[in-house]
PDB file of all heavy atoms in Angstrom:
ATOM      1  N   PRO Z   4      -5.447   5.913 -10.893  1.00 94.00           N
ATOM      2  CA  PRO Z   4      -4.955   4.563 -11.184  1.00 94.00           C
ATOM      3  C   PRO Z   4      -3.456   4.423 -10.970  1.00 94.00           C
ATOM      4  O   PRO Z   4      -2.991   3.378 -10.518  1.00 94.00           O
ATOM      5  CB  PRO Z   4      -5.328   4.356 -12.654  1.00 94.00           C
ATOM      6  CG  PRO Z   4      -6.483   5.273 -12.886  1.00 94.00           C
ATOM      7  CD  PRO Z   4      -6.211   6.470 -12.020  1.00 94.00           C
ATOM      8  N   ALA Z   5      -2.694   5.485 -11.282  1.00 97.00           N
ATOM      9  CA  ALA Z   5      -1.241   5.418 -11.107  1.00 97.00           C
ATOM     10  C   ALA Z   5      -0.867   5.288  -9.636  1.00 97.00           C
ATOM     11  O   ALA Z   5       0.069   4.557  -9.281  1.00 97.00           O
ATOM     12  CB  ALA Z   5      -0.584   6.668 -11.704  1.00 97.00           C
ATOM     13  N   VAL Z   6      -1.605   5.987  -8.761  1.00 95.00           N
ATOM     14  CA  VAL Z   6      -1.326   5.907  -7.330  1.00 95.00           C
ATOM     15  C   VAL Z   6      -1.716   4.540  -6.774  1.00 95.00           C
ATOM     16  O   VAL Z   6      -0.972   3.926  -6.008  1.00 95.00           O
ATOM     17  CB  VAL Z   6      -2.057   7.030  -6.574  1.00 95.00           C
ATOM     18  CG1 VAL Z   6      -1.983   6.810  -5.060  1.00 95.00           C
ATOM     19  CG2 VAL Z   6      -1.450   8.379  -6.934  1.00 95.00           C
ATOM     20  N   LEU Z   7      -2.895   4.063  -7.161  1.00 94.00           N
ATOM     21  CA  LEU Z   7      -3.324   2.745  -6.694  1.00 94.00           C
ATOM     22  C   LEU Z   7      -2.349   1.663  -7.150  1.00 94.00           C
ATOM     23  O   LEU Z   7      -2.011   0.750  -6.388  1.00 94.00           O
ATOM     24  CB  LEU Z   7      -4.734   2.436  -7.198  1.00 94.00           C
ATOM     25  CG  LEU Z   7      -5.869   3.213  -6.528  1.00 94.00           C
ATOM     26  CD1 LEU Z   7      -7.185   2.926  -7.225  1.00 94.00           C
ATOM     27  CD2 LEU Z   7      -5.966   2.854  -5.052  1.00 94.00           C
ATOM     28  N   GLN Z   8      -1.889   1.759  -8.381  1.00 97.00           N
ATOM     29  CA  GLN Z   8      -0.922   0.783  -8.876  1.00 97.00           C
ATOM     30  C   GLN Z   8       0.385   0.877  -8.102  1.00 97.00           C
ATOM     31  O   GLN Z   8       0.983  -0.146  -7.744  1.00 97.00           O
ATOM     32  CB  GLN Z   8      -0.655   0.997 -10.364  1.00 97.00           C
ATOM     33  CG  GLN Z   8       0.329  -0.023 -10.936  1.00 97.00           C
ATOM     34  CD  GLN Z   8       0.619   0.204 -12.410  1.00 97.00           C
ATOM     35  OE1 GLN Z   8       0.128   1.154 -13.014  1.00 97.00           O
ATOM     36  NE2 GLN Z   8       1.419  -0.663 -13.001  1.00 97.00           N
ATOM     37  N   LEU Z   9       0.834   2.094  -7.832  1.00 98.00           N
ATOM     38  CA  LEU Z   9       2.064   2.289  -7.069  1.00 98.00           C
ATOM     39  C   LEU Z   9       1.972   1.615  -5.704  1.00 98.00           C
ATOM     40  O   LEU Z   9       2.877   0.870  -5.288  1.00 98.00           O
ATOM     41  CB  LEU Z   9       2.331   3.783  -6.888  1.00 98.00           C
ATOM     42  CG  LEU Z   9       3.470   4.155  -5.939  1.00 98.00           C
ATOM     43  CD1 LEU Z   9       4.817   3.978  -6.631  1.00 98.00           C
ATOM     44  CD2 LEU Z   9       3.319   5.596  -5.445  1.00 98.00           C
ATOM     45  N   ILE Z  10       0.890   1.851  -4.996  1.00 96.00           N
ATOM     46  CA  ILE Z  10       0.743   1.288  -3.657  1.00 96.00           C
ATOM     47  C   ILE Z  10       0.631  -0.225  -3.708  1.00 96.00           C
ATOM     48  O   ILE Z  10       1.282  -0.936  -2.926  1.00 96.00           O
ATOM     49  CB  ILE Z  10      -0.481   1.908  -2.955  1.00 96.00           C
ATOM     50  CG1 ILE Z  10      -0.252   3.403  -2.717  1.00 96.00           C
ATOM     51  CG2 ILE Z  10      -0.756   1.205  -1.630  1.00 96.00           C
ATOM     52  CD1 ILE Z  10      -1.457   4.123  -2.132  1.00 96.00           C
ATOM     53  N   MET Z  11      -0.158  -0.739  -4.623  1.00 96.00           N
ATOM     54  CA  MET Z  11      -0.334  -2.193  -4.700  1.00 96.00           C
ATOM     55  C   MET Z  11       0.958  -2.875  -5.140  1.00 96.00           C
ATOM     56  O   MET Z  11       1.322  -3.932  -4.598  1.00 96.00           O
ATOM     57  CB  MET Z  11      -1.466  -2.535  -5.659  1.00 96.00           C
ATOM     58  CG  MET Z  11      -2.829  -2.046  -5.191  1.00 96.00           C
ATOM     59  SD  MET Z  11      -3.287  -2.674  -3.558  1.00 96.00           S
ATOM     60  CE  MET Z  11      -3.440  -4.420  -3.922  1.00 96.00           C
ATOM     61  N   ASP Z  12       1.665  -2.300  -6.095  1.00 98.00           N
ATOM     62  CA  ASP Z  12       2.944  -2.877  -6.515  1.00 98.00           C
ATOM     63  C   ASP Z  12       3.941  -2.870  -5.363  1.00 98.00           C
ATOM     64  O   ASP Z  12       4.708  -3.817  -5.170  1.00 98.00           O
ATOM     65  CB  ASP Z  12       3.517  -2.101  -7.704  1.00 98.00           C
ATOM     66  CG  ASP Z  12       2.804  -2.412  -9.013  1.00 98.00           C
ATOM     67  OD1 ASP Z  12       2.023  -3.374  -9.049  1.00 98.00           O
ATOM     68  OD2 ASP Z  12       3.038  -1.677  -9.995  1.00 98.00           O
ATOM     69  N   SER Z  13       3.930  -1.781  -4.588  1.00 98.00           N
ATOM     70  CA  SER Z  13       4.833  -1.690  -3.450  1.00 98.00           C
ATOM     71  C   SER Z  13       4.505  -2.759  -2.409  1.00 98.00           C
ATOM     72  O   SER Z  13       5.393  -3.467  -1.920  1.00 98.00           O
ATOM     73  CB  SER Z  13       4.748  -0.295  -2.822  1.00 98.00           C
ATOM     74  OG  SER Z  13       5.437  -0.242  -1.590  1.00 98.00           O
ATOM     75  N   LEU Z  14       3.233  -2.882  -2.062  1.00 98.00           N
ATOM     76  CA  LEU Z  14       2.839  -3.877  -1.058  1.00 98.00           C
ATOM     77  C   LEU Z  14       3.202  -5.289  -1.504  1.00 98.00           C
ATOM     78  O   LEU Z  14       3.725  -6.095  -0.719  1.00 98.00           O
ATOM     79  CB  LEU Z  14       1.339  -3.774  -0.786  1.00 98.00           C
ATOM     80  CG  LEU Z  14       0.864  -2.518  -0.049  1.00 98.00           C
ATOM     81  CD1 LEU Z  14      -0.659  -2.432  -0.070  1.00 98.00           C
ATOM     82  CD2 LEU Z  14       1.379  -2.520   1.387  1.00 98.00           C
ATOM     83  N   ARG Z  15       2.926  -5.584  -2.758  1.00 98.00           N
ATOM     84  CA  ARG Z  15       3.259  -6.926  -3.258  1.00 98.00           C
ATOM     85  C   ARG Z  15       4.766  -7.155  -3.253  1.00 98.00           C
ATOM     86  O   ARG Z  15       5.228  -8.264  -2.971  1.00 98.00           O
ATOM     87  CB  ARG Z  15       2.702  -7.116  -4.672  1.00 98.00           C
ATOM     88  CG  ARG Z  15       1.188  -7.185  -4.744  1.00 98.00           C
ATOM     89  CD  ARG Z  15       0.734  -7.635  -6.128  1.00 98.00           C
ATOM     90  NE  ARG Z  15      -0.677  -7.402  -6.327  1.00 98.00           N
ATOM     91  CZ  ARG Z  15      -1.180  -6.379  -7.023  1.00 98.00           C
ATOM     92  NH1 ARG Z  15      -0.355  -5.511  -7.590  1.00 98.00           N
ATOM     93  NH2 ARG Z  15      -2.479  -6.235  -7.160  1.00 98.00           N
ATOM     94  N   TYR Z  16       5.530  -6.134  -3.571  1.00 98.00           N
ATOM     95  CA  TYR Z  16       6.986  -6.273  -3.563  1.00 98.00           C
ATOM     96  C   TYR Z  16       7.486  -6.640  -2.163  1.00 98.00           C
ATOM     97  O   TYR Z  16       8.286  -7.569  -2.000  1.00 98.00           O
ATOM     98  CB  TYR Z  16       7.642  -4.974  -4.027  1.00 98.00           C
ATOM     99  CG  TYR Z  16       9.150  -4.973  -3.886  1.00 98.00           C
ATOM    100  CD1 TYR Z  16       9.947  -5.676  -4.783  1.00 98.00           C
ATOM    101  CD2 TYR Z  16       9.768  -4.288  -2.847  1.00 98.00           C
ATOM    102  CE1 TYR Z  16      11.331  -5.690  -4.656  1.00 98.00           C
ATOM    103  CE2 TYR Z  16      11.153  -4.289  -2.707  1.00 98.00           C
ATOM    104  CZ  TYR Z  16      11.928  -4.999  -3.612  1.00 98.00           C
ATOM    105  OH  TYR Z  16      13.292  -5.010  -3.473  1.00 98.00           O
ATOM    106  N   TRP Z  17       7.006  -5.915  -1.153  1.00 98.00           N
ATOM    107  CA  TRP Z  17       7.464  -6.201   0.217  1.00 98.00           C
ATOM    108  C   TRP Z  17       6.978  -7.560   0.694  1.00 98.00           C
ATOM    109  O   TRP Z  17       7.665  -8.234   1.474  1.00 98.00           O
ATOM    110  CB  TRP Z  17       6.993  -5.093   1.162  1.00 98.00           C
ATOM    111  CG  TRP Z  17       7.729  -3.811   0.936  1.00 98.00           C
ATOM    112  CD1 TRP Z  17       7.321  -2.744   0.196  1.00 98.00           C
ATOM    113  CD2 TRP Z  17       9.037  -3.475   1.429  1.00 98.00           C
ATOM    114  NE1 TRP Z  17       8.287  -1.762   0.197  1.00 98.00           N
ATOM    115  CE2 TRP Z  17       9.347  -2.182   0.944  1.00 98.00           C
ATOM    116  CE3 TRP Z  17       9.964  -4.135   2.236  1.00 98.00           C
ATOM    117  CZ2 TRP Z  17      10.549  -1.537   1.244  1.00 98.00           C
ATOM    118  CZ3 TRP Z  17      11.159  -3.494   2.540  1.00 98.00           C
ATOM    119  CH2 TRP Z  17      11.444  -2.216   2.044  1.00 98.00           C
ATOM    120  N   ALA Z  18       5.817  -7.979   0.228  1.00 98.00           N
ATOM    121  CA  ALA Z  18       5.288  -9.281   0.632  1.00 98.00           C
ATOM    122  C   ALA Z  18       5.980 -10.427  -0.095  1.00 98.00           C
ATOM    123  O   ALA Z  18       6.387 -11.415   0.521  1.00 98.00           O
ATOM    124  CB  ALA Z  18       3.783  -9.331   0.381  1.00 98.00           C
ATOM    125  N   ILE Z  19       6.135 -10.295  -1.409  1.00 98.00           N
ATOM    126  CA  ILE Z  19       6.635 -11.414  -2.222  1.00 98.00           C
ATOM    127  C   ILE Z  19       8.159 -11.448  -2.252  1.00 98.00           C
ATOM    128  O   ILE Z  19       8.779 -12.501  -2.055  1.00 98.00           O
ATOM    129  CB  ILE Z  19       6.063 -11.323  -3.654  1.00 98.00           C
ATOM    130  CG1 ILE Z  19       4.535 -11.476  -3.623  1.00 98.00           C
ATOM    131  CG2 ILE Z  19       6.691 -12.397  -4.547  1.00 98.00           C
ATOM    132  CD1 ILE Z  19       3.867 -11.202  -4.961  1.00 98.00           C
ATOM    133  N   GLU Z  20       8.783 -10.303  -2.503  1.00 98.00           N
ATOM    134  CA  GLU Z  20      10.239 -10.274  -2.650  1.00 98.00           C
ATOM    135  C   GLU Z  20      10.966 -10.106  -1.318  1.00 98.00           C
ATOM    136  O   GLU Z  20      12.071 -10.613  -1.150  1.00 98.00           O
ATOM    137  CB  GLU Z  20      10.644  -9.138  -3.596  1.00 98.00           C
ATOM    138  CG  GLU Z  20      10.080  -9.274  -5.002  1.00 98.00           C
ATOM    139  CD  GLU Z  20      10.608 -10.513  -5.712  1.00 98.00           C
ATOM    140  OE1 GLU Z  20      11.761 -10.919  -5.431  1.00 98.00           O
ATOM    141  OE2 GLU Z  20       9.866 -11.080  -6.539  1.00 98.00           O
ATOM    142  N   MET Z  21      10.361  -9.403  -0.372  1.00 98.00           N
ATOM    143  CA  MET Z  21      11.018  -9.134   0.905  1.00 98.00           C
ATOM    144  C   MET Z  21      10.478  -9.993   2.045  1.00 98.00           C
ATOM    145  O   MET Z  21      10.983  -9.935   3.170  1.00 98.00           O
ATOM    146  CB  MET Z  21      10.880  -7.645   1.262  1.00 98.00           C
ATOM    147  CG  MET Z  21      11.359  -6.707   0.159  1.00 98.00           C
ATOM    148  SD  MET Z  21      13.123  -6.869  -0.163  1.00 98.00           S
ATOM    149  CE  MET Z  21      13.767  -5.473   0.746  1.00 98.00           C
ATOM    150  N   HIS Z  22       9.406 -10.763   1.784  1.00 98.00           N
ATOM    151  CA  HIS Z  22       8.877 -11.779   2.702  1.00 98.00           C
ATOM    152  C   HIS Z  22       8.299 -11.222   3.999  1.00 98.00           C
ATOM    153  O   HIS Z  22       8.253 -11.931   5.010  1.00 98.00           O
ATOM    154  CB  HIS Z  22       9.957 -12.816   3.031  1.00 98.00           C
ATOM    155  CG  HIS Z  22      10.268 -13.754   1.915  1.00 98.00           C
ATOM    156  ND1 HIS Z  22      10.733 -15.043   2.103  1.00 98.00           N
ATOM    157  CD2 HIS Z  22      10.195 -13.599   0.563  1.00 98.00           C
ATOM    158  CE1 HIS Z  22      10.940 -15.630   0.945  1.00 98.00           C
ATOM    159  NE2 HIS Z  22      10.616 -14.765  -0.015  1.00 98.00           N
ATOM    160  N   VAL Z  23       7.842  -9.965   4.009  1.00 98.00           N
ATOM    161  CA  VAL Z  23       7.249  -9.458   5.246  1.00 98.00           C
ATOM    162  C   VAL Z  23       5.864 -10.066   5.439  1.00 98.00           C
ATOM    163  O   VAL Z  23       5.229 -10.541   4.499  1.00 98.00           O
ATOM    164  CB  VAL Z  23       7.182  -7.919   5.267  1.00 98.00           C
ATOM    165  CG1 VAL Z  23       8.566  -7.322   5.066  1.00 98.00           C
ATOM    166  CG2 VAL Z  23       6.201  -7.398   4.237  1.00 98.00           C
ATOM    167  N   ASP Z  24       5.383 -10.010   6.679  1.00 98.00           N
ATOM    168  CA  ASP Z  24       4.172 -10.742   7.060  1.00 98.00           C
ATOM    169  C   ASP Z  24       2.935  -9.871   7.197  1.00 98.00           C
ATOM    170  O   ASP Z  24       1.826 -10.387   7.348  1.00 98.00           O
ATOM    171  CB  ASP Z  24       4.416 -11.463   8.384  1.00 98.00           C
ATOM    172  CG  ASP Z  24       5.622 -12.385   8.316  1.00 98.00           C
ATOM    173  OD1 ASP Z  24       5.493 -13.487   7.769  1.00 98.00           O
ATOM    174  OD2 ASP Z  24       6.709 -11.982   8.799  1.00 98.00           O
ATOM    175  N   GLY Z  25       3.116  -8.563   7.182  1.00 98.00           N
ATOM    176  CA  GLY Z  25       1.957  -7.702   7.332  1.00 98.00           C
ATOM    177  C   GLY Z  25       2.352  -6.244   7.321  1.00 98.00           C
ATOM    178  O   GLY Z  25       3.535  -5.884   7.273  1.00 98.00           O
ATOM    179  N   PHE Z  26       1.320  -5.393   7.375  1.00 98.00           N
ATOM    180  CA  PHE Z  26       1.530  -3.957   7.290  1.00 98.00           C
ATOM    181  C   PHE Z  26       0.631  -3.233   8.283  1.00 98.00           C
ATOM    182  O   PHE Z  26      -0.517  -3.618   8.503  1.00 98.00           O
ATOM    183  CB  PHE Z  26       1.215  -3.448   5.883  1.00 98.00           C
ATOM    184  CG  PHE Z  26       2.013  -4.113   4.801  1.00 98.00           C
ATOM    185  CD1 PHE Z  26       1.491  -5.190   4.100  1.00 98.00           C
ATOM    186  CD2 PHE Z  26       3.285  -3.665   4.485  1.00 98.00           C
ATOM    187  CE1 PHE Z  26       2.217  -5.813   3.099  1.00 98.00           C
ATOM    188  CE2 PHE Z  26       4.025  -4.281   3.481  1.00 98.00           C
ATOM    189  CZ  PHE Z  26       3.498  -5.359   2.789  1.00 98.00           C
ATOM    190  N   ARG Z  27       1.170  -2.171   8.847  1.00 97.00           N
ATOM    191  CA  ARG Z  27       0.379  -1.223   9.640  1.00 97.00           C
ATOM    192  C   ARG Z  27       0.362   0.066   8.834  1.00 97.00           C
ATOM    193  O   ARG Z  27       1.402   0.657   8.552  1.00 97.00           O
ATOM    194  CB  ARG Z  27       1.003  -1.031  11.015  1.00 97.00           C
ATOM    195  CG  ARG Z  27       0.267  -0.003  11.894  1.00 97.00           C
ATOM    196  CD  ARG Z  27       0.914   1.371  11.786  1.00 97.00           C
ATOM    197  NE  ARG Z  27       0.404   2.324  12.762  1.00 97.00           N
ATOM    198  CZ  ARG Z  27       0.656   3.625  12.740  1.00 97.00           C
ATOM    199  NH1 ARG Z  27       1.424   4.143  11.784  1.00 97.00           N
ATOM    200  NH2 ARG Z  27       0.166   4.419  13.651  1.00 97.00           N
ATOM    201  N   PHE Z  28      -0.833   0.520   8.436  1.00 95.00           N
ATOM    202  CA  PHE Z  28      -0.978   1.647   7.523  1.00 95.00           C
ATOM    203  C   PHE Z  28      -1.146   2.943   8.311  1.00 95.00           C
ATOM    204  O   PHE Z  28      -2.154   3.141   8.994  1.00 95.00           O
ATOM    205  CB  PHE Z  28      -2.165   1.425   6.591  1.00 95.00           C
ATOM    206  CG  PHE Z  28      -1.977   0.287   5.633  1.00 95.00           C
ATOM    207  CD1 PHE Z  28      -2.194  -1.025   6.028  1.00 95.00           C
ATOM    208  CD2 PHE Z  28      -1.564   0.520   4.331  1.00 95.00           C
ATOM    209  CE1 PHE Z  28      -2.017  -2.078   5.150  1.00 95.00           C
ATOM    210  CE2 PHE Z  28      -1.384  -0.532   3.440  1.00 95.00           C
ATOM    211  CZ  PHE Z  28      -1.605  -1.835   3.850  1.00 95.00           C
ATOM    212  N   ASP Z  29      -0.171   3.825   8.200  1.00 93.00           N
ATOM    213  CA  ASP Z  29      -0.200   5.111   8.870  1.00 93.00           C
ATOM    214  C   ASP Z  29      -1.325   5.979   8.309  1.00 93.00           C
ATOM    215  O   ASP Z  29      -1.531   6.035   7.094  1.00 93.00           O
ATOM    216  CB  ASP Z  29       1.154   5.809   8.674  1.00 93.00           C
ATOM    217  CG  ASP Z  29       1.213   7.174   9.315  1.00 93.00           C
ATOM    218  OD1 ASP Z  29       1.167   7.234  10.547  1.00 93.00           O
ATOM    219  OD2 ASP Z  29       1.310   8.169   8.572  1.00 93.00           O
ATOM    220  N   LEU Z  30      -2.070   6.649   9.213  1.00 87.00           N
ATOM    221  CA  LEU Z  30      -3.165   7.540   8.812  1.00 87.00           C
ATOM    222  C   LEU Z  30      -4.011   6.901   7.715  1.00 87.00           C
ATOM    223  O   LEU Z  30      -4.244   7.480   6.651  1.00 87.00           O
ATOM    224  CB  LEU Z  30      -2.616   8.892   8.340  1.00 87.00           C
ATOM    225  CG  LEU Z  30      -1.807   9.695   9.366  1.00 87.00           C
ATOM    226  CD1 LEU Z  30      -1.328  11.004   8.752  1.00 87.00           C
ATOM    227  CD2 LEU Z  30      -2.603   9.965  10.631  1.00 87.00           C
ATOM    228  N   ALA Z  31      -4.488   5.697   8.004  1.00 87.00           N
ATOM    229  CA  ALA Z  31      -5.143   4.904   6.964  1.00 87.00           C
ATOM    230  C   ALA Z  31      -6.445   5.519   6.473  1.00 87.00           C
ATOM    231  O   ALA Z  31      -6.900   5.193   5.371  1.00 87.00           O
ATOM    232  CB  ALA Z  31      -5.405   3.484   7.490  1.00 87.00           C
ATOM    233  N   SER Z  32      -7.056   6.389   7.239  1.00 85.00           N
ATOM    234  CA  SER Z  32      -8.295   7.016   6.764  1.00 85.00           C
ATOM    235  C   SER Z  32      -8.059   7.792   5.471  1.00 85.00           C
ATOM    236  O   SER Z  32      -8.943   7.864   4.609  1.00 85.00           O
ATOM    237  CB  SER Z  32      -8.855   7.951   7.841  1.00 85.00           C
ATOM    238  OG  SER Z  32      -9.318   7.213   8.961  1.00 85.00           O
ATOM    239  N   THR Z  33      -6.873   8.370   5.328  1.00 82.00           N
ATOM    240  CA  THR Z  33      -6.559   9.109   4.102  1.00 82.00           C
ATOM    241  C   THR Z  33      -6.588   8.180   2.892  1.00 82.00           C
ATOM    242  O   THR Z  33      -6.994   8.581   1.791  1.00 82.00           O
ATOM    243  CB  THR Z  33      -5.182   9.782   4.226  1.00 82.00           C
ATOM    244  OG1 THR Z  33      -5.266  10.823   5.206  1.00 82.00           O
ATOM    245  CG2 THR Z  33      -4.730  10.387   2.909  1.00 82.00           C
ATOM    246  N   LEU Z  34      -6.162   6.933   3.087  1.00 85.00           N
ATOM    247  CA  LEU Z  34      -6.144   5.988   1.970  1.00 85.00           C
ATOM    248  C   LEU Z  34      -7.550   5.633   1.512  1.00 85.00           C
ATOM    249  O   LEU Z  34      -7.737   5.158   0.389  1.00 85.00           O
ATOM    250  CB  LEU Z  34      -5.403   4.711   2.382  1.00 85.00           C
ATOM    251  CG  LEU Z  34      -3.949   4.899   2.823  1.00 85.00           C
ATOM    252  CD1 LEU Z  34      -3.364   3.568   3.275  1.00 85.00           C
ATOM    253  CD2 LEU Z  34      -3.116   5.484   1.697  1.00 85.00           C
ATOM    254  N   ALA Z  35      -8.533   5.841   2.382  1.00 77.00           N
ATOM    255  CA  ALA Z  35      -9.913   5.500   2.040  1.00 77.00           C
ATOM    256  C   ALA Z  35     -10.678   6.686   1.473  1.00 77.00           C
ATOM    257  O   ALA Z  35     -11.869   6.582   1.203  1.00 77.00           O
ATOM    258  CB  ALA Z  35     -10.632   4.960   3.277  1.00 77.00           C
ATOM    259  N   ARG Z  36     -10.010   7.822   1.306  1.00 74.00           N
ATOM    260  CA  ARG Z  36     -10.689   9.016   0.791  1.00 74.00           C
ATOM    261  C   ARG Z  36     -10.551   9.072  -0.728  1.00 74.00           C
ATOM    262  O   ARG Z  36      -9.502   9.426  -1.242  1.00 74.00           O
ATOM    263  CB  ARG Z  36     -10.087  10.282   1.402  1.00 74.00           C
ATOM    264  CG  ARG Z  36     -10.358  10.448   2.892  1.00 74.00           C
ATOM    265  CD  ARG Z  36      -9.748  11.740   3.395  1.00 74.00           C
ATOM    266  NE  ARG Z  36      -9.879  11.883   4.831  1.00 74.00           N
ATOM    267  CZ  ARG Z  36     -10.902  12.473   5.440  1.00 74.00           C
ATOM    268  NH1 ARG Z  36     -11.883  12.967   4.715  1.00 74.00           N
ATOM    269  NH2 ARG Z  36     -10.932  12.574   6.762  1.00 74.00           N
ATOM    270  N   GLU Z  37     -11.622   8.715  -1.436  1.00 61.00           N
ATOM    271  CA  GLU Z  37     -11.599   8.855  -2.886  1.00 61.00           C
ATOM    272  C   GLU Z  37     -11.994  10.274  -3.290  1.00 61.00           C
ATOM    273  O   GLU Z  37     -11.440  10.843  -4.215  1.00 61.00           O
ATOM    274  CB  GLU Z  37     -12.532   7.841  -3.530  1.00 61.00           C
ATOM    275  CG  GLU Z  37     -12.013   6.407  -3.386  1.00 61.00           C
ATOM    276  CD  GLU Z  37     -12.716   5.457  -4.311  1.00 61.00           C
ATOM    277  OE1 GLU Z  37     -13.870   5.718  -4.676  1.00 61.00           O
ATOM    278  OE2 GLU Z  37     -12.102   4.442  -4.681  1.00 61.00           O
ATOM    279  N   LEU Z  38     -12.962  10.822  -2.604  1.00 51.00           N
ATOM    280  CA  LEU Z  38     -13.338  12.210  -2.863  1.00 51.00           C
ATOM    281  C   LEU Z  38     -13.089  13.022  -1.600  1.00 51.00           C
ATOM    282  O   LEU Z  38     -12.049  13.583  -1.401  1.00 51.00           O
ATOM    283  CB  LEU Z  38     -14.808  12.285  -3.317  1.00 51.00           C
ATOM    284  CG  LEU Z  38     -15.070  11.607  -4.675  1.00 51.00           C
ATOM    285  CD1 LEU Z  38     -16.555  11.560  -4.971  1.00 51.00           C
ATOM    286  CD2 LEU Z  38     -14.326  12.360  -5.775  1.00 51.00           C
ATOM    287  N   HIS Z  39     -14.049  13.052  -0.694  1.00 55.00           N
ATOM    288  CA  HIS Z  39     -13.868  13.817   0.543  1.00 55.00           C
ATOM    289  C   HIS Z  39     -14.017  12.921   1.761  1.00 55.00           C
ATOM    290  O   HIS Z  39     -13.179  12.913   2.649  1.00 55.00           O
ATOM    291  CB  HIS Z  39     -14.885  14.962   0.620  1.00 55.00           C
ATOM    292  CG  HIS Z  39     -14.770  15.774   1.871  1.00 55.00           C
ATOM    293  ND1 HIS Z  39     -13.737  16.657   2.101  1.00 55.00           N
ATOM    294  CD2 HIS Z  39     -15.550  15.813   2.981  1.00 55.00           C
ATOM    295  CE1 HIS Z  39     -13.879  17.214   3.290  1.00 55.00           C
ATOM    296  NE2 HIS Z  39     -14.981  16.717   3.843  1.00 55.00           N
TER     297      HIS Z  39
END
């Protein structure tokens, strides 16, 4: 939960406070690995 919160808070910060329009997620398959 701490990692998920960190990532979501970061994304929202760049979107809301920094006004960016999108993200390209490096090695995104790793982000989808909950177990293996």
